[in-house]
Amino acid sequence: MSQTVIDLGRLTLAHGEGTRLDVPVRLDPFELGGQSYAAVPESPVVRLDVSRPSGGFAFRLRFSVHLEGPCMRCLEPAQLDLDVEAREVDQAETEDEELRSPYVDEGELELSRWAHDAILLALPTQLLCRPDCAGLCPVCGESLNDNPGHHHDEAPDPRWAKLNDLKLE
Ligand SMILES: [Zn+2]
Ligand SMILES: [Zn+2]
């Protein structure tokens, strides 16, 4: 998987200068709760502002991303549009870890990794086909969205209860 990396030296920024780049960044699928969510398109264009305060770099990342994957409750297709914004600073000559960016290594900004993590931080805890998704029947697995009145009179089959335990892990 090709990673998008920005060579900071090649930006040839003097102290006090800044620049703006619009870069397509390829994103690996996101693994959440055992499901996979993909960015569509796979390489959204990311706007990167780079500035050079004295002694280092400051970065600002902004982009919109569209994610698609299964609903976490009913497994029907779900999608989500996210606006992502993140900032980083990296001071070259410091012992203070707070001032080092984990995405800057050997004079390169690891843009793919940063964009990926920024999306994870911006994600809601649940990705649903719709906010009020009713999910699946815990007894038989039927979609409760399609069958709102669905219910069972008999006691649940213990085999399904086991499956539900597994799903929660
Ligand atoms: Zn759903
Ligand atoms: Zn049922």
Side-chain angles (χ1 to χ4, degrees):
M1 178 67 63
S2 63
Q3 296 286 314
T4 306
V5 164
I6 305 291
D7 183 339
L8 298 174
R10 290 184 64 181
L11 298 176
T12 62
L13 291 176
H15 289 302
E17 286 185 339
T19 191
R20 169 172 289 175
L21 304 171
D22 288 321
V23 194
V25 173
R26 184 171 169 149
L27 294 166
D28 292 336
F30 296 83
E31 303 297 331
L32 291 173
Q35 305 293 341
S36 182
Y37 299 87
V40 181
E42 196 178 43
S43 303
V45 173
V46 158
R47 170 157 289 183
L48 175 70
D49 289 303
V50 184
S51 59
R52 275 210 87 177
S54 65
F57 285 94
F59 307 100
R60 182 183 186 203
L61 189 64
R62 279 174 294 171
F63 60 100
S64 298
V65 66
H66 178 84
L67 294 177
E68 294 184 356
C71 169
M72 287 182 180
R73 282 190 198 146
C74 74
L75 302 181
E76 289 294 312
Q79 51 186 305
L80 179 73
D81 286 295
L82 273 186
D83 290 317
V84 180
E85 178 168 358
R87 290 168 190 272
E88 283 288 321
V89 290
D90 189 68
Q91 294 280 334
E93 308 290 333
T94 178
E95 299 296 308
D96 187 348
E97 281 298 312
E98 288 282 295
L99 296 174
R100 296 310 307 262
S101 168
Y103 305 110
V104 175
D105 187 39
E106 306 277 329
E108 290 184 328
L109 176 67
E110 295 172 358
L111 199 52
S112 295
R113 205 160 61 81
W114 185 18
H116 191 270
D117 289 356
I119 290 171
L120 282 182
L121 288 174
L123 280 178
T125 49
Q126 293 238 290
L127 238 143
L128 303 177
C129 60
R130 59 188 209 210
D132 62 345
C133 172
L136 303 177
C137 169
V139 179
C140 71
E142 184 96 47
S143 168
L144 299 179
N145 292 325
D146 300 338
N147 305 288
H150 176 87
H151 76 286
H152 298 262
D153 290 328
E154 292 159 29
D157 184 326
R159 283 174 301 173
W160 273 106
K162 269 224 174 83
L163 272 181
N164 281 313
D165 289 344
L166 287 176
K167 257 193 274 177
L168 290 174
E169 281 174 11

